[in-house]
Amino acid sequence: MSNRVVITEETINHREYLVTALFEGSRMAEVSCDAALEPSLIGNIYIGKIKRILPELGAAFVEIAPGKMTYLPLSEAGDALMVKQQRAGVFTQEDEIVVQIAKDAVKTKEPSVTTNLSIKGNALIFTAENKKLGISKKIESGKRKYFQSIFAEKMDGRFGLIVRTNAENCTKEQLTEEFDRLLYQFLLILQQYRYRTCYSLLYQAPSEYISRVRDYLGLRPEKIVTDDFGIYEELQQTFQEEPVEFYEDAMLSLSALYGLKFKLKEALKERVWLDSGAYLIIWPTEALTVIDVNSGKCFKGKRKDFYLKVNVEAAIEIARQMRLRNISGICIVDFINMDTKEAEEELIHVFKRELAKDTVPAVFVDFTRLGLAELTRKKVKKPLWEQITQE
């Protein structure tokens, strides 16, 4: 079934959110809810001031505006751009450094920043530290060679370049136009940062919904639809080759048409029922997310593969729920115990296949000694349950 991207405002818990949702057929596969008055800072590039260095944690706190602190893992501070530095090769308090927001604040944790600057386009990403040409592994070998032939000669040691999966849908002319535009923006930062004052915003990333749509282009959505005319105009200008639609039915809102409020409510429930009658319990905690698989209303009968069938169904749904709820970091799953190694291997195969469908890197690690499945998913944005403030 076709993929669609829906962008509209919705009131949740008495607050206004801009909802960007990816639908695969009639099911909501991914969703992002951004508070209308609190836009995400991810992607913004600032000149910050180092306020504290914590060697024992391998981190530093960098102030990007008066009173606005961010967290910089020193492992993310390789070839940093320094505006002011007291000692060459050593970070010192009050040094001024160029950083980019990598992750939003989560609860009591400050936003995370990196010195590995990057500027994203629809098909390309420019990077500051890794100055090599990288091509998405999801692109087949023949096209990888094609992209290599286009961009290899453009690499001059000042930047790195990543060719995204979305590049498969672009013409050579579109790729060249985007390359030139991003190169101009990237070089402008490199030319100006030494002469700008502390706390300057060197680069403002596109709106969050623009970034989300870019991530979805590789899935070739049938259309991108919104009922906000300002957003519609920005989408048309940014994605000129994509099918963008303005929804204006006064009798039925776009949110109601896609059942967004109901689907969001379902995505926040602790219990998720499976077709077999089994169910999942999803417990988010500060450190990790725990998912328990229960046989529930299933009838075991005489089927020898009963537990495998339930676990496979659960694995498929867990992979879907991780995308939908944006469950990130460490995730522990307690499957129903199975009798054979063969059954476990089949479950792992299904789980890896389903996780590979995610637009965010998600990995099955292994079963622990206690028989618990350990997963990881890259942290980029707050999980859904934190995006929507509970009151």
Side-chain angles (χ1 to χ4, degrees):
M1 300 181 70
S2 61
N3 298 326
R4 298 185 178 192
V5 181
V6 177
I7 305 172
T8 187
E9 284 197 4
E10 181 57 86
T11 303
I12 308 168
N13 295 333
H14 311 293
R15 295 187 67 188
E16 293 297 321
Y17 291 88
L18 184 64
V19 180
T20 306
L22 170 68
F23 280 82
E24 294 178 346
S26 61
R27 301 187 76 171
M28 188 166 69
E30 296 186 25
V31 64
S32 179
C33 298
D34 298 293
L37 300 179
E38 301 172 17
S40 172
L41 300 178
I42 289 179
N44 287 1
I45 298 176
Y46 300 88
I47 296 176
K49 181 178 292 185
I50 297 176
K51 302 301 289 185
R52 289 181 63 196
I53 300 173
L54 304 173
E56 66 277 11
L57 295 180
F61 286 101
V62 179
E63 191 177 48
I64 60 170
K68 181 68 173 178
M69 209 66 67
T70 64
Y71 180 83
L72 172 65
L74 296 182
S75 60
E76 298 288 327
D79 190 15
L81 300 180
M82 305 300 299
V83 180
K84 292 181 181 179
Q85 189 171 28
Q86 300 172 53
R87 292 184 295 167
V90 179
F91 287 158
T92 307
Q93 288 186 19
E94 302 303 308
D95 282 352
E96 294 180 10
I97 185 173
V98 179
V99 294
Q100 183 170 36
I101 307 294
K103 301 174 186 175
D104 277 326
V106 178
K107 283 195 172 180
T108 58
K109 296 180 180 179
E110 288 83 1
S112 292
V113 295
T114 179
T115 61
N116 185 16
L117 312 180
S118 63
I119 297 182
K120 292 184 178 181
N122 298 338
L124 306 173
I125 302 175
F126 274 72
T127 61
E129 291 185 5
N130 186 350
K131 296 180 171 59
K132 296 181 179 179
L133 173 61
I135 301 174
S136 170
K137 294 180 180 179
K138 294 183 179 180
I139 297 176
E140 61 184 33
S141 59
K143 286 195 173 182
R144 288 170 65 87
K145 293 179 181 178
Y146 168 71
F147 293 129
Q148 181 80 24
S149 68
I150 294 177
F151 296 112
E153 62 183 21
K154 296 179 181 291
M155 308 298 293
D156 60 9
R158 292 179 296 174
F159 57 86
L161 185 68
I162 299 172
V163 181
R164 309 180 73 180
T165 308
N166 298 341
E168 290 188 297
N169 304 325
C170 300
T171 65
K172 185 176 180 179
E173 289 72 22
Q174 289 170 334
L175 293 172
T176 301
E177 186 279 329
E178 179 167 292
F179 178 92
D180 293 340
R181 175 172 54 82
L182 295 180
L183 177 62
Y184 173 79
Q185 293 177 324
F186 193 80
L187 294 182
L188 195 62
I189 294 171
L190 297 183
Q191 292 166 4
Q192 292 186 348
Y193 79 92
R194 295 182 185 275
Y195 312 105
R196 301 290 295 278
T197 59
C198 189
Y199 308 137
S200 292
L201 175 63
L202 297 179
Y203 172 75
Q204 182 160 10
S207 304
E208 180 66 15
Y209 59 84
I210 294 292
S211 297
R212 300 293 290 178
V213 170
R214 280 177 174 155
D215 291 338
Y216 298 148
L217 290 183
L219 302 175
R220 300 186 180 183
E222 177 189 19
K223 66 179 177 179
I224 305 161
V225 56
T226 181
D227 54 0
D228 183 302
F229 192 72
I231 292 176
Y232 168 72
E233 288 187 315
E234 186 177 1
L235 289 170
Q236 276 202 318
Q237 183 177 359
T238 307
F239 306 105
Q240 297 180 8
E241 305 298 323
E242 302 300 324
V244 179
E245 178 182 303
F246 179 59
Y247 182 85
E248 48 185 338
D249 188 339
M251 301 299 293
L252 182 67
S253 71
L254 184 60
S255 177
L257 178 64
Y258 283 87
L260 281 179
K261 183 164 283 191
F262 173 77
K263 287 180 169 66
L264 285 168
K265 184 177 179 180
E266 289 291 302
L268 294 171
K269 284 185 176 179
E270 182 180 272
R271 180 171 298 197
V272 179
W273 286 98
L274 306 178
D275 291 340
S276 63
Y279 62 89
L280 310 175
I281 296 291
I282 302 176
W283 290 298
T285 73
E286 184 76 22
L288 50 79
T289 301
V290 179
I291 302 178
D292 189 29
V293 181
N294 290 271
S295 56
K297 300 177 182 179
C298 283
F299 178 68
K300 181 177 179 181
K302 297 182 179 180
R303 290 168 51 184
K304 294 181 180 180
D305 61 350
F306 168 77
Y307 293 128
L308 174 60
K309 295 287 186 183
V310 173
N311 282 338
V312 165
E313 182 185 25
I316 294 171
E317 184 61 27
I318 289 169
R320 195 181 82 84
Q321 289 292 327
M322 290 180 73
R323 287 181 67 192
L324 179 62
R325 299 175 185 231
N326 196 33
I327 296 172
S328 303
I330 299 171
C331 182
I332 300 296
V333 182
D334 186 8
F335 285 105
I336 302 171
N337 291 334
M338 296 179 295
D339 298 328
T340 66
K341 189 68 176 177
E342 290 75 14
E344 183 179 290
E345 290 175 353
E346 183 174 344
L347 176 60
I348 292 173
H349 172 74
V350 171
F351 218 166
K352 287 182 176 180
R353 181 194 69 201
E354 295 301 311
L355 292 172
K357 298 177 182 179
D358 204 332
T359 54
V360 173
V363 178
F364 174 86
V365 178
D366 204 349
F367 278 100
T368 69
R369 290 185 178 181
L370 297 177
L372 303 174
E374 184 180 353
L375 320 171
T376 63
R377 188 170 183 269
K378 185 177 180 180
K379 288 184 178 181
V380 176
K381 192 175 174 64
K382 295 177 184 178
L384 183 62
W385 64 278
E386 283 189 10
Q387 292 175 35
I388 300 176
T389 303
Q390 302 296 317
E391 299 180 353

